[in-house]
Amino acid sequence: MGIGYTIDTPLKVSHLGIDSVISLVDDELLEKIRKMYCGKYALPYTEIPEKENDYRAKRITSYLNLINELATRKFEELKLAGAEQIKELKVYVDMLPDLSSLKEEFNKCLQNLDFTELKKIIREKLHMGSIDVNIMTKVDKDNYRNNEKLPVEFNDAHAALRGYANSDLNSSVILSAGMNPRLYSYFENFEQFYPDADGLFKKKIVLKVSDYRSAMIQGMFLAKKGLWVSEYRIESGLNCGGHAFATDGYLMGPILEEFKTNRQDLINSVHEIFVRALQTKNRLIPESPLLVKITAQGGVGTADEHQFLLDHYSIDSVGWGSPFLLVPEATSVDTETLKRLADALEEDLYLSNISPLGIPFNNLRGNTKDLEKLEYIRKDRPGSPCPKKHVALNTELTEKGICTASRQYQNLRIIELDKQELSKEEHQISYDSIVEKSCICVGLGTSILLANNLDTKTEGKGVSICPGPNMAYFERIYSLKEMTDHIYGRTNILTRKDRPHMFVKELNIYIEYLQKKIKSLNNTSTPKQITYLINFAKNLEAGINYYVDLFTNSVVFSTKIRSEIILQLNLSREHLKLSEKDLDKFIPVNS
């Protein structure tokens, strides 16, 4: 969802029982929004300047405490159950699934005018949505003061973790972008992440993972330190928003099947190591096994898909991300970007190489940050001024890390490039790969500033946004009720009839990804690179076979829908075979 789009979402939806996530990448942005909300609610505001010791962690703590205070206040006002609150309470309850027992009890009390029982239900059963946070583990640059490198605990991700740990929130930190052993070890310093005798946590750890193996490795690593993973959040490798972490051709369905089959083995294996670590640390050991949630997200677009994931794979919940960018009641998106999102078609949503992290990045074609980048190139001044330096991680050309989207880095690389004796065509290809990187750490936060008419002198007005491919099928701005009604099958807001099933869509994205990788092969490609793509294709073939079997035998979908999905799968299989023929050209005859 980017850096700024859900930064104030808890204030919009937490009182309605909806969980949301705040990114902790940009402390400067958090400070600006804290100032704005202090002014809006007539609360005292004291700036936390960069010159202050540990300013990044303090800014994060202060912002999270403010959001928690304001969201809690809004929720408590909702629970007063006066005449004015009944209408909004009805909004809360109406958004729940139709089979919710709370919904049934609430509506029964209203029908019977039983306000005594209604107040009891509200007091005991209404819950505020969790205010969770996200830390991208690899966005953990070193920091300096007076040209002196600060200790590792002042690195960006470390400081973000400390800021969250010191906050008033009772929620979860969601770790994404892979494993960072140094950061994971830092969790040991905070009491809030250890369980009490009842197995309860002040703060929980959630891992965003792309496959079972990754979940097991990371879960065991943390368990050895006495740290428990309360949720493994499985995200589609490529059919998702933001950075895309392609698996080795393993598709979401087979991955979910592996979690379903081995769920208890994962829990038992990690729990055994966890208990031994707590014993070694002389810590409280919970009297019963701790809870673990397995959840999924990435490309879900219909109520049928949502329910199928819950029922068939026995997961605990399903996450929706990108479609909520079109819901102003939930996210903060500026007017121009909202229109671009609503108008976006498949060809406007593409997997790009613009991220300075060197990871494929889902992008919206024609976003204003990319247009700004092209204007810099046109003026022969490629690269961003790099005002925030959150991804200044590259040390190839300098002692201190710099960002590959920065003007400094790109100028140095272009100077190197010009010294090489390359053909005009080769030079252009290399030049384009250098200047392609975009300043997303700024661009992903600018939209909320524009949406609230705040100063963008530091950031500029360019907006980056990273919706998943699924966004192509959502064609307008929606109300929060419309979106929740769509999720739970009470209505259908999709007008297009050509949207493929989420599993088929992901498969086709993977085949396109494979085709691009094959096209990049040449006579200098190594056997390792070729073997990787051979195995990638084999895994896709195995995934297709799994899906054909799944939908052939499924009784959940109608015969017509199953037939359509299997037809699409067979077409995808033909495309895969064509790709494999192209790959065969690079396989030695005697191999």
Side-chain angles (χ1 to χ4, degrees):
M1 295 292 282
I3 292 170
Y5 297 106
T6 59
I7 202 170
D8 60 347
T9 293
L11 283 183
K12 300 180 178 187
V13 303
S14 286
H15 67 293
L16 299 174
I18 300 174
D19 298 345
S20 57
V21 183
I22 297 172
S23 167
L24 301 186
V25 167
D26 191 344
D27 59 278
E28 184 177 341
L29 182 64
L30 295 173
E31 184 72 357
K32 282 189 175 185
I33 304 304
R34 182 170 74 91
K35 181 179 181 180
M36 178 188 79
Y37 276 114
C38 283
K40 183 176 180 179
Y41 287 92
L43 296 171
Y45 167 77
T46 303
E47 181 186 3
I48 303 173
E50 286 192 14
K51 65 182 180 181
E52 187 167 330
N53 182 50
D54 203 20
Y55 71 90
R56 177 170 166 79
K58 289 177 180 177
R59 284 175 171 179
I60 288 169
T61 301
S62 296
Y63 182 76
L64 296 178
N65 286 349
L66 173 68
I67 293 297
N68 188 39
E69 177 188 345
L70 295 177
T72 302
R73 182 193 301 179
K74 198 170 182 180
F75 180 63
E76 292 303 323
E77 289 171 355
L78 179 66
K79 289 170 64 178
L80 292 176
E84 293 181 6
Q85 283 75 32
I86 291 295
K87 184 177 180 182
E88 195 157 7
L89 279 167
K90 190 112 175 56
V91 172
Y92 178 118
V93 173
D94 283 348
M95 289 187 186
L96 295 171
D98 289 340
L99 296 177
S100 164
S101 59
L102 172 59
K103 189 171 193 173
E104 183 181 351
E105 291 176 45
F106 182 89
N107 288 329
K108 185 178 179 181
C109 288
L110 280 184
Q111 289 170 4
N112 298 333
L113 300 178
D114 187 348
F115 289 101
T116 301
E117 181 64 21
L118 181 65
K119 288 182 179 181
K120 181 182 177 184
I121 290 171
I122 291 168
R123 185 173 63 253
E124 296 178 357
K125 297 189 177 182
L126 249 64
H127 298 289
M128 187 171 145
S130 182
I131 304 175
D132 299 329
V133 302
N134 169 243
I135 295 176
M136 285 192 71
T137 58
K138 300 296 176 65
V139 182
D140 196 24
K141 73 173 174 65
D142 297 328
N143 285 309
Y144 295 78
R145 185 176 292 278
N146 300 323
N147 287 320
E148 293 269 337
K149 186 176 177 180
L150 294 172
V152 66
E153 59 265 27
F154 292 97
N155 285 11
D156 272 10
H158 283 69
L161 176 59
R162 183 167 59 257
Y164 170 66
N166 291 335
S167 74
D168 298 333
L169 288 174
N170 185 352
S171 62
S172 299
V173 56
I174 299 157
L175 301 172
S176 62
M179 186 168 166
N180 179 343
R182 193 168 58 177
L183 176 66
Y184 284 14
S185 299
Y186 189 51
F187 274 82
E188 292 182 87
N189 293 279
F190 302 103
E191 192 68 28
Q192 299 91 323
F193 294 104
Y194 292 99
D196 61 20
D198 296 321
L200 301 177
F201 296 84
K202 172 71 174 175
K203 290 176 166 64
K204 298 176 183 177
I205 298 172
V206 174
L207 290 182
K208 191 184 286 189
V209 296
S210 57
D211 57 46
Y212 181 81
R213 181 174 176 271
S214 173
M216 182 67 84
I217 291 171
Q218 294 186 70
M220 284 185 166
F221 183 93
L222 288 161
K224 288 175 182 176
K225 301 180 180 302
L227 299 164
W228 184 251
V229 177
S230 297
E231 178 187 338
Y232 295 91
R233 187 168 294 186
I234 307 155
E235 183 173 62
S236 167
L238 294 180
N239 194 19
C240 61
H243 286 92
F245 296 85
T247 63
D248 294 346
Y250 296 108
L251 299 171
M252 192 170 186
I255 289 169
L256 289 171
E257 190 71 48
E258 187 174 12
F259 271 93
K260 177 182 177 180
T261 303
N262 299 308
R263 177 175 184 153
Q264 201 56 49
D265 286 343
L266 170 65
I267 295 171
N268 292 343
S269 299
V270 173
H271 187 266
E272 184 180 340
I273 296 169
F274 171 71
V275 169
R276 285 204 304 265
L278 291 180
Q279 289 171 337
T280 302
K281 290 173 176 278
N282 293 317
R283 287 190 164 274
L284 286 172
I285 297 174
E287 295 178 358
S288 57
L290 298 177
L291 294 176
V292 175
K293 288 184 177 181
I294 305 294
T295 63
Q297 61 187 44
V300 187
T302 68
D304 286 344
E305 290 174 352
H306 181 106
Q307 196 62 44
F308 180 73
L309 294 181
L310 292 173
D311 294 341
H312 185 78
Y313 295 106
S314 304
I315 59 174
D316 296 288
S317 65
V318 176
W320 291 58
S322 294
F324 277 95
L325 290 169
L326 289 171
V327 182
E329 290 172 78
T331 55
S332 293
V333 185
D334 64 281
T335 304
E336 183 178 350
T337 305
L338 262 177
K339 185 177 187 312
R340 288 177 184 269
L341 284 174
D343 293 342
L345 300 174
E346 286 91 339
E347 58 268 26
D348 301 312
L349 302 161
Y350 70 107
L351 196 60
S352 74
N353 293 314
I354 69 166
S355 172
L357 294 176
I359 300 165
F361 183 80
N362 279 297
N363 197 22
L364 172 65
R365 206 176 299 279
N367 69 77
T368 53
K369 195 65 180 177
D370 281 354
L371 296 178
E372 179 186 277
K373 175 185 70 176
L374 293 174
E375 183 63 17
Y376 282 140
I377 294 169
R378 189 187 69 79
K379 292 179 178 179
D380 200 25
R381 299 181 67 239
S384 164
C386 198
K388 298 192 176 182
K389 298 179 171 57
H390 292 303
V391 286
L393 303 169
N394 188 284
T395 55
E396 294 172 337
L397 305 171
T398 54
E399 185 178 344
K400 289 184 183 179
I402 55 176
C403 177
T404 57
S406 70
R407 185 163 297 148
Q408 180 185 6
Y409 176 86
Q410 293 189 8
N411 283 343
L412 290 171
R413 283 292 310 277
I414 291 168
I415 289 170
E416 279 190 342
L417 176 63
D418 290 342
K419 292 176 182 178
Q420 301 175 35
E421 296 180 359
L422 300 176
S423 67
K424 185 176 181 180
E425 182 181 356
E426 290 173 325
H427 185 282
Q428 189 64 48
I429 291 172
S430 296
Y431 177 86
D432 289 344
S433 69
I434 293 169
V435 301
E436 184 178 18
K437 304 303 179 188
S438 182
C439 183
I440 59 172
C441 81
V442 170
L444 289 172
T446 307
S447 189
I448 188 172
L449 299 177
L450 297 174
N452 288 283
N453 297 311
L454 297 178
D455 174 52
T456 59
K457 184 177 180 180
T458 299
E459 296 84 358
K461 295 186 180 296
V463 172
S464 303
I465 195 162
C466 50
N470 197 34
M471 180 62 81
Y473 308 102
F474 294 83
E475 302 173 291
R476 61 177 175 84
I477 295 170
Y478 304 96
S479 70
L480 184 59
K481 186 177 189 308
E482 283 180 309
M483 187 59 72
T484 53
D485 282 351
H486 176 74
I487 290 170
Y488 293 121
R490 294 187 286 263
T491 188
N492 177 25
I493 60 177
L494 300 181
T495 58
R496 290 178 56 177
K497 305 299 182 184
D498 59 341
R499 179 186 178 276
H501 187 276
M502 60 177 287
F503 286 165
V504 176
K505 180 70 174 180
E506 185 201 47
L507 167 63
N508 290 333
I509 295 170
Y510 264 96
I511 292 173
E512 289 174 15
Y513 182 84
L514 174 64
Q515 289 169 340
K516 287 181 182 178
K517 290 291 185 182
I518 293 172
K519 285 181 181 179
S520 70
L521 293 175
N522 53 47
N523 294 331
T524 62
S525 298
T526 66
K528 184 178 180 181
Q529 291 172 311
I530 295 168
T531 300
Y532 168 77
L533 294 181
I534 291 171
N535 291 331
F536 194 102
K538 286 180 179 177
N539 291 333
L540 289 181
E541 180 68 35
I544 293 173
N545 293 336
Y546 167 85
Y547 285 143
V548 170
D549 181 67
L550 174 69
F551 289 106
T552 298
N553 297 305
S554 171
V555 295
V556 175
F557 300 96
S558 68
T559 302
K560 181 182 177 182
I561 291 175
R562 281 184 286 156
S563 298
E564 288 175 353
I565 292 173
I566 291 171
L567 176 62
Q568 292 170 348
L569 289 168
N570 287 328
L571 288 173
S572 298
R573 193 195 299 275
E574 292 305 312
H575 291 148
L576 177 59
K577 286 179 179 177
L578 291 174
S579 298
E580 288 176 313
K581 284 183 180 179
D582 291 335
L583 182 56
D584 287 343
K585 299 171 186 176
F586 294 93
I587 301 174
V589 177
N590 60 352
S591 65

